């Protein structure tokens, strides 16, 4: 397989799990629980790749150290090279418009973009499922970020797949409330490992996760925001409960995280649809509809130290068609 001489650029948004994946089966980045997610158009990365004499990676204009490259990126690049049957090295330039390693699924967008850009560079025409599986080797949630729109990643699966809705839910919005821009103290992978090894609540979490995912799928089909919101809350609160029950306990929330959780509860009591969720980090994402966005944003503005951005969900028609088009068109649509 002969790589192209011209660089390839890919831009993707992170995959926000409305229903959480938390924990793995074995060492192949196989999810222990089913997740349902959507992409956030307001957040994105841009990855440019080219053939080089050695692997060199830049993030937001800064060269990554050899230690970071070896630990986080080289295993993925070597796996990809073996699959593509190439021996070349790559110059990789990554730009993010949102905080890295802060609970905003940055790894999902980075490794999905790398997968699409590098396979395109190497003239590889794999199926969408194969590309999803390749991205999974870098980050489990990257398997979802390959696709736009709503995506499901079943427990025990090796690839995610699009989750088309009967009708476009165009009024949905997600408000991303960033409470801390710094790196989180415990990275996701070691946090999962500690939880699976030591949390007495973990088995119950896995047992309940499938039922929650089934409820969420029904809510999406019905366009029932309250039903979806309740499922979202059950999912993220259950996930964080496993962390608190771990030894040592893991707590990502900060003061503003808690204030935002209480704010959403108060807004719902006043008839304003504001359903929060959190990942492995202190940021709070609020699912709502367009009509409620101004009111919620005004309330968030009253919290010192919180920066918020409104995102439409990644359900543009050209992305939704990715599951049915030819593999070559998949790369052409997503890598732009």
């Amino acid at each position: 397989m002969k790589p192209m001489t011209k660089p390839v650029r890919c831009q993707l948004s992170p995959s926000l799990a409305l229903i959480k994946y938390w924990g793995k089966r074995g060492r192949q980045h196989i999810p222990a629980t089913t997740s349902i997610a959507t992409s956030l158009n307001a957040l994105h990365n841009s990855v440019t790749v080219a053939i080089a004499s050695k692997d060199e990676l830049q993030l937001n204009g800064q060269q990554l150290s050899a230690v970071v490259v070896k630990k986080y990126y080289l295993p993925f690049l070597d796996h990809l090279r073996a699959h593509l049957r190439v021996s070349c090295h790559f110059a990789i330039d990554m730009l993010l418009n949102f905080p890295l390693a802060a609970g905003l699924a940055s790894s999902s967008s980075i490794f999905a973009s790398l997968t699409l850009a590098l396979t395109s560079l190497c003239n590889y025409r794999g199926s969408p499922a194969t590309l999803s599986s390749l991205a999974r080797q870098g980050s489990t949630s990257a398997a979802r970020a390959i696709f736009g729109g709503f995506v499901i990643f079943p427990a025990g699966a090796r690839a995610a797949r699009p989750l088309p809705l009967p009708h476009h839910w165009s009024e949905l919005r997600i408000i991303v409330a960033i409470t801390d821009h710094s790196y989180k103290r415990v990275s996701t992978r070691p946090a999962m490992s500690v939880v699976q090894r030591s949390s007495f609540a973990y088995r119950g979490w896995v047992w309940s996760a499938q039922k929650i995912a089934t409820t969420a799928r029904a809510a999406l089909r019905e366009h029932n925001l309250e039903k979806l919101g309740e499922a979202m809350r059950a999912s993220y609160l259950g996930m964080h409960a496993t962390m608190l029950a771990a030894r040592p306990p893991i707590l990502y929330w900060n003061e503003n995280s808690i204030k935002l959780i209480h704010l959403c509860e108060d807004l719902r009591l006043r008839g304003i649809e504001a359903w929060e969720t959190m990942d492995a980090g202190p940021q709070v994402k609020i699912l709502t509809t367009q009509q409620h966005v101004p009111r919620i944003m005004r309330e968030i503005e009253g919290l010192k130290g919180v920066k918020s951005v409104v995102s439409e969900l990644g359900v543009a028609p050209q992305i939704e068609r990715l599951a049915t088009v030819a593999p070559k068109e998949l790369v052409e649509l997503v890598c732009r």
Side-chain angles (χ1 to χ4, degrees):
M1 192 174 297
K2 186 178 180 180
M4 296 190 296
T5 57
K6 293 182 178 180
V8 173
R9 178 176 173 268
C10 179
Q11 181 172 300
L12 275 180
S13 296
S15 173
L16 170 66
L18 307 179
I19 305 303
K20 307 302 180 185
Y21 131 73
W22 185 244
K24 301 177 183 179
R25 296 182 183 178
R27 299 182 178 181
Q28 297 299 314
H29 301 294
I30 304 296
T33 57
T34 296
S35 58
I36 296 175
T38 187
S39 51
L40 299 177
N41 286 352
L43 310 181
H44 60 79
N45 72 31
S46 175
V47 171
T48 303
V49 299
I51 302 301
S53 58
K54 63 178 180 178
D55 292 327
E56 294 182 341
L57 288 85
Q58 285 193 94
L59 177 63
N60 291 337
Q62 299 294 319
Q63 195 81 21
L64 295 181
S65 69
V67 173
V68 171
V69 171
K70 182 178 180 179
K71 182 177 180 180
Y72 294 104
Y73 294 96
L74 194 56
F76 169 76
L77 293 175
D78 285 343
H79 178 86
L80 198 66
R81 275 188 279 259
H83 184 87
L84 300 178
R85 298 180 182 179
V86 298
S87 58
C88 54
H89 296 280
F90 305 108
I92 299 171
D93 186 13
M94 301 175 288
L95 299 172
L96 277 72
N97 76 339
F98 60 99
L100 176 72
L104 290 169
S106 56
S107 63
S108 76
S109 64
I110 286 175
F111 285 103
S113 288
L114 280 172
T115 299
L116 292 170
L118 290 171
T119 52
S120 178
L121 184 72
C122 294
N123 290 303
Y124 177 72
R125 301 297 182 234
S127 68
T130 300
L131 293 172
S132 176
S133 182
L134 285 172
R136 190 192 82 244
Q137 298 302 320
S139 168
T140 305
S141 56
R144 300 189 312 249
I146 286 288
F147 306 97
F150 288 100
V151 180
I152 185 167
F153 196 1
R158 294 181 176 273
R161 65 177 187 269
L163 187 63
L165 303 184
H167 305 285
H168 183 39
W169 204 350
S170 59
E171 65 269 27
L172 280 183
R173 297 290 185 274
I174 290 181
I175 298 173
V176 182
I178 300 174
T179 67
D180 190 348
H181 286 72
S182 59
Y183 285 10
K184 54 193 177 187
R185 287 176 288 181
V186 183
S187 296
T188 300
R189 289 184 186 179
M192 283 186 187
S193 179
V194 168
V195 167
Q196 288 187 272
R197 184 175 64 248
S198 67
S199 176
F200 68 83
Y202 185 74
R203 184 174 297 179
W205 149 260
V206 173
W207 178 84
S208 65
Q210 191 60 46
K211 182 178 180 181
I212 294 172
T214 300
T215 300
R217 289 193 68 174
L220 285 169
R221 288 194 300 269
E222 300 162 6
H223 287 197
N224 188 327
L225 184 54
E226 181 177 1
K227 187 175 181 178
L228 177 60
E230 291 286 3
M232 283 171 44
R233 295 188 78 240
S235 182
Y236 95 85
L237 289 171
M239 182 184 81
H240 283 270
T242 68
M243 300 183 211
L244 293 175
R247 295 293 178 268
I250 300 170
L251 178 62
Y252 287 111
W253 301 0
N254 58 31
E255 182 181 357
N256 276 328
S257 305
I258 297 171
K259 287 181 179 179
L260 284 161
I261 292 171
H262 286 303
L263 172 62
C264 288
E265 183 178 11
D266 180 60
L267 287 168
R268 290 193 298 273
L269 290 174
R270 288 184 270 158
I272 300 168
E273 294 178 298
W275 299 94
E276 84 283 353
T277 186
M278 295 180 67
D279 292 290
Q283 328 304 351
V284 179
K285 301 90 174 180
I286 303 169
L287 185 65
T288 186
T289 56
Q290 176 60 40
Q291 64 174 322
H292 295 301
V293 166
R295 177 63 180 275
I296 298 172
M297 292 293 282
R298 285 197 299 270
E299 297 278 354
I300 293 175
E301 287 172 2
L303 298 178
K304 185 178 179 181
V306 177
K307 179 182 178 181
S308 58
V309 60
V310 180
S311 179
E312 295 184 14
L313 280 57
V315 290
Q318 67 268 26
I319 296 178
E320 286 179 340
R321 292 197 297 268
L322 293 179
T324 59
V325 299
K328 180 180 178 181
E329 292 172 307
L330 172 67
V331 177
E332 291 174 346
L333 282 172
V334 181
C335 294
R336 52 190 185 277

